[in-house]
Amino acid sequence: MAVSADALEPSGLMSPGSTVRSITKELQHSLDLASATSGDKVVTAQVSETGAREEQASSPSGEDTVGPQRPRSNSGRELTDEEILASVMIKNLDTGEEIPLIQAEEKLPAGINPLTLHIMRRTKEYITNDAAQSDDDDKVQAPLVDTDGGKLKQKTTQLKKFLGKSVKRAKHLAEEYGEKAVNKVKSVRDEVFHTDQDDPSSSDDEGMPYTRQAKFKAAHSFKGPFDFDQIKVVQDLSGEHMGAVWTMKFSHCGRLLATAGQDNVVRIWVLKNAFDYFNNMRMKYNTEGRVSPSPSQESLCSSKSDTDAASCAPEDPDTEDRNAPFRQVPFCKYKGHTADLLDLSWSKNFFLLSSSMDKTVRLWHISRRECLCCFQHIDFVTAIAFHPRDDRYFLSGSLDGKLRLWNIPDKKVALWNEVDGQTRLITAANFCQNGKYAVIGTYDGRCIFYDTERLKYHTQIHVRSTRGRNRVGRKITGIEPLPGENKILVTSNDSRIRLYDLRDLSLSMKYKGYVNSSSQIKASFSHDYSFIVSGSEDKYVYIWSTYHDLSKFTSVRRDRNDFWEGIKAHNAVVTSAIFAPQPGLIVPQEAGDSRHSTDHTEVLLSADFTGAIKVFINVKKY
């Protein structure tokens, strides 16, 4: 059932054409007041929900005034961090073993994010990295046969599996500790600069042009032809982010890139050939004051003179690399959040939402330097998404178990619903079927669908394997719709990515190969939906064909895709990897050049736990 124009009376959904005027008109008075009194003051939208009014005293910047109190001993002495961690017992979901939290944190991978640590403390559960290697496919046992030969074959198979894993583990340890011994002198430099020996982008390559090939690997069972074996790093945007980059999002037009993470700052990067356009937009608004900060998508596409003029602009003085598509310095930096940023969402009119562990969502616009509005929540806001057909509304998912549909001009919650069950933590959220349904992912592995019109429960999928360790649902980290095919792509902490058919909630495909046991890594599609990309905890970027050549599959495993291609250009956990939505803007076909077409070109970006961001270009030869 489609969302009607008057379905949400008195705050019904409106057409995108009226979105800009509505938001701008409603916010303008508040913005003028804020800028007149203090450059740092923002409009704070409080949560107000029928049946569950959530009052919060908030400062002008949306911060809580009263902080948590540190636990004390019986004698009244404040407990140290170590004493607190040692007193909390948590369960390993893989083994059932209960150990102090301080020991569990030591066993976790180095690239773990603070959201995962927070959830682990709250749920008193954790998962070891071994879970990533386990799946229902690995647990399928050979059928028991009465004959000795059958039992012997079964035991031999199990022994081979055990020896194979042991040998791999021993080899890995030998390589790891052997390398540490040989490179002991360089270890300090490696820690400071986040480099390692096999990384093509290490500091040894400084001064070299970014046209080298990235390190490439593929699944052993995948014999080619390969789609990404010619991929090259064309730009390195490292050095700006201090700490991990948790999320990256391209604007709908493909000319702007937003990145955010551990240092609490949102950064906007602009393509060189679009810099003049957005710079003029910003200058025009700042000089005239009352001009709408939100040109429509159509006006951007039709303004040939602006983009043509921008493409003729001289190269940036801070770089001489003509192959680098982005300006080397951010177009703008947005400050205001006081904790890690977890998610970003663009509207078609260049509004940007950012959600954070500071329990707020903030609204920005590319033409303005200050925060336009601050939406206060009760707990960490793990996921946000603009309504695809009406920019006045956005969806937010929070660890308090509530899904909220916000009305931006009214600065309040229009609709909300609450997750049931023992574990109510919302860890992912998005719209699907062009806004008809809102879908959330939970810590315990459920994808729950709500009818957007009333935000009423519709259906759910329990994301898990049929047997093995992953028969228990793991945290959902990402949800991406596949337009036109009634499907969604779900990423979860069992190191699996699954494509579900929404018509019957069946599993269309499961993608394997990458490692995602504790991170907030999420998979996404290429511009034409033919590929899927994801970061990974093993420092690689992984790519799968959405629909691989079925002739390569056995009759039993047509819904299992472990034919992946991997790219190594990072020295740390790859926390985010995305395709550019308009690769033709970044790699335009030169006049008279018939060797390649932009139809067969992909632009890929990846970011890691240290704040490094890489830009790749892959031109296929046909």
Side-chain angles (χ1 to χ4, degrees):
M1 182 169 60
V3 181
S4 61
D6 56 350
L8 294 178
E9 288 292 337
S11 54
L13 299 178
M14 294 174 59
S15 65
S18 60
T19 299
V20 178
R21 293 187 299 274
S22 176
I23 294 178
T24 307
K25 183 178 177 182
E26 294 289 338
L27 291 177
Q28 189 64 55
H29 179 65
S30 300
L31 292 173
D32 291 341
L33 285 175
S35 59
T37 55
S38 169
D40 296 326
K41 188 173 181 179
V42 297
V43 182
T44 302
Q46 296 288 349
V47 180
S48 94
E49 300 162 356
T50 308
R53 186 169 181 81
E54 300 159 348
E55 295 292 349
Q56 254 197 336
S58 62
S59 64
S61 59
E63 301 172 39
D64 293 334
T65 53
V66 180
Q69 300 297 313
R70 176 172 285 274
R72 295 177 180 270
S73 66
N74 293 335
S75 62
R77 178 181 60 85
E78 288 190 351
L79 298 177
T80 65
D81 291 346
E82 289 74 18
E83 288 172 329
I84 295 171
L85 292 174
S87 65
V88 179
M89 300 298 292
I90 67 171
K91 182 196 285 188
N92 183 341
L93 292 182
D94 300 324
T95 64
E97 176 191 12
E98 289 198 2
I99 60 174
L101 178 58
I102 192 168
Q103 291 182 25
E105 291 197 5
E106 290 172 1
K107 295 183 179 182
L108 290 169
I112 198 164
N113 64 53
L115 176 64
T116 301
L117 280 175
H118 175 83
I119 291 176
M120 188 178 77
R121 291 187 183 108
R122 183 180 291 192
T123 60
K124 299 186 179 180
E125 295 174 346
Y126 83 107
I127 301 159
T128 58
N129 248 342
D130 295 337
Q133 312 305 323
S134 168
D135 192 70
D136 53 346
D137 298 332
D138 302 330
K139 292 289 181 179
V140 175
Q141 300 290 334
L144 285 171
V145 184
D146 292 336
T147 62
D148 292 338
K151 290 181 180 178
L152 180 63
K153 186 177 180 182
Q154 180 186 351
K155 287 186 177 181
T156 306
T157 304
Q158 291 175 343
L159 186 62
K160 280 182 180 177
K161 282 186 179 179
F162 173 77
L163 287 175
K165 288 181 179 177
S166 300
V167 170
K168 283 180 185 175
R169 195 170 290 124
K171 184 180 178 184
H172 171 72
L173 289 171
E175 288 176 354
E176 182 179 348
Y177 290 105
E179 186 179 355
K180 282 182 181 177
V182 173
N183 297 315
K184 198 170 184 179
V185 179
K186 297 181 181 179
S187 63
V188 175
R189 186 206 70 176
D190 290 346
E191 280 187 32
V192 173
F193 293 103
H194 307 293
T195 62
D196 67 16
Q197 304 312 113
D198 62 348
D199 188 2
S201 60
S202 66
S203 57
D204 298 335
D205 290 333
E206 275 189 26
M208 293 179 63
Y210 290 110
T211 53
R212 61 187 175 277
Q213 276 186 243
K215 187 177 177 183
F216 176 87
K217 72 171 182 176
H220 295 302
S221 56
F222 187 10
K223 305 303 180 187
F226 302 109
D227 292 303
F228 291 88
D229 55 344
Q230 299 298 314
I231 197 163
K232 290 180 172 61
V233 180
V234 295
Q235 191 169 10
D236 190 334
L237 296 174
S238 307
E240 271 289 332
H241 278 277
M242 304 303 292
V245 176
W246 298 134
T247 178
M248 298 194 296
K249 292 287 175 67
F250 267 100
S251 61
H252 291 262
C253 68
R255 293 169 171 88
L256 298 167
L257 171 72
T259 61
Q262 204 164 15
D263 61 8
N264 312 346
V265 179
V266 181
R267 288 171 174 83
I268 310 292
W269 309 83
V270 64
L271 293 179
K272 289 179 182 176
N273 58 19
F275 170 75
D276 282 0
Y277 177 85
F278 290 107
N279 197 41
N280 290 340
M281 180 199 299
R282 184 164 62 183
M283 290 171 59
K284 188 175 182 182
Y285 183 81
N286 289 337
T287 53
E288 296 184 13
R290 289 287 177 179
V291 177
S292 166
S294 318
S296 67
Q297 178 77 358
E298 291 74 23
S299 70
L300 174 63
C301 297
S302 62
S303 56
K304 296 287 184 184
S305 58
D306 285 335
T307 51
D308 289 346
S311 64
C312 299
E315 290 290 328
D316 296 342
D318 57 352
T319 178
E320 297 177 0
D321 189 354
R322 293 179 177 274
N323 292 321
F326 290 92
R327 286 177 63 91
Q328 197 65 31
V329 294
F331 180 70
C332 52
K333 301 178 187 179
Y334 291 134
K335 299 179 181 179
H337 284 289
T338 57
D340 292 46
L341 285 118
L342 300 177
D343 202 9
L344 296 163
S345 181
W346 285 96
S347 79
K348 292 176 182 176
N349 300 309
F350 307 113
F351 283 98
L352 179 68
L353 289 167
S354 57
S355 73
S356 170
M357 289 173 64
D358 66 8
K359 306 178 184 178
T360 68
V361 173
R362 288 177 180 264
L363 178 69
W364 319 87
H365 190 271
I366 193 65
S367 69
R368 302 296 292 268
R369 298 181 185 276
E370 70 276 11
C371 175
L372 303 182
C373 194
C374 180
F375 302 90
Q376 190 75 42
H377 290 66
I378 304 303
D379 210 330
F380 296 174
V381 188
T382 53
I384 43 173
F386 267 110
H387 191 289
R389 291 188 294 107
D390 188 346
D391 292 350
R392 293 191 314 123
Y393 291 87
F394 75 88
L395 198 65
S396 71
S398 171
L399 291 187
D400 66 358
K402 288 193 173 74
L403 174 70
R404 299 172 174 89
L405 185 68
W406 291 83
N407 181 315
I408 295 176
D410 291 348
K411 310 181 194 71
K412 68 180 183 181
V413 175
L415 298 166
W416 67 279
N417 206 330
E418 195 166 5
V419 178
D420 60 0
Q422 187 175 359
T423 307
R424 300 164 52 249
L425 310 176
I426 297 175
T427 54
N430 210 338
F431 288 99
C432 63
Q433 296 188 350
N434 199 27
K436 183 178 181 182
Y437 295 108
V439 55
I440 62 164
T442 66
Y443 170 76
D444 55 4
R446 289 176 292 160
C447 272
I448 308 174
F449 296 79
Y450 299 87
D451 192 316
T452 306
E453 186 175 324
R454 297 292 176 191
L455 218 57
K456 295 298 183 185
Y457 173 86
H458 176 67
T459 188
Q460 70 176 328
I461 301 171
H462 203 153
V463 180
R464 57 181 176 175
S465 299
T466 53
R467 55 175 76 86
R469 285 182 182 172
N470 296 336
R471 68 182 179 276
V472 178
R474 304 294 195 201
K475 180 179 67 178
I476 305 295
T477 59
I479 298 169
E480 289 289 325
L482 179 57
E485 296 201 34
N486 284 336
K487 294 182 179 180
I488 60 165
L489 190 72
V490 180
T491 316
S492 54
N493 273 164
D494 59 359
S495 295
R496 300 293 178 264
I497 301 163
R498 295 171 175 85
L499 187 66
Y500 286 98
D501 193 322
L502 297 181
R503 290 169 295 188
D504 57 3
L505 304 183
S506 62
L507 178 67
S508 296
M509 193 70 71
K510 180 193 288 187
Y511 305 90
K512 300 166 57 177
Y514 83 125
V515 182
N516 180 22
S517 61
S518 61
S519 302
Q520 278 295 109
I521 294 168
K522 61 183 71 175
S524 57
F525 292 103
S526 62
H527 71 286
D528 60 359
Y529 306 103
S530 57
F531 296 104
I532 292 167
V533 66
S534 175
S536 175
E537 291 171 4
D538 65 0
K539 307 178 185 179
Y540 275 81
V541 176
Y542 283 80
I543 303 167
W544 299 261
S545 289
T546 306
Y547 295 110
H548 204 280
D549 183 1
L550 288 177
S551 64
K552 296 181 183 294
F553 288 81
T554 65
S555 58
V556 179
R557 297 190 178 180
R558 285 179 176 267
D559 63 342
R560 302 288 186 272
N561 187 341
D562 50 7
F563 294 104
W564 48 261
E565 297 177 50
I567 303 156
K568 176 72 161 63
H570 290 273
N571 313 306
V573 172
V574 180
T575 51
S576 180
I578 57 174
F579 282 103
Q582 302 281 353
L585 295 173
I586 298 174
V587 192
Q589 185 174 355
E590 297 179 11
D593 183 4
S594 58
R595 288 177 298 173
H596 70 271
S597 165
T598 51
D599 293 340
H600 303 301
T601 298
E602 297 291 351
V603 176
L604 177 64
L605 284 89
S606 60
D608 70 18
F609 194 79
T610 70
I613 301 173
K614 312 277 184 175
V615 184
F616 305 86
I617 289 180
N618 183 67
V619 180
K620 300 175 197 170
K621 292 179 172 59
Y622 285 89

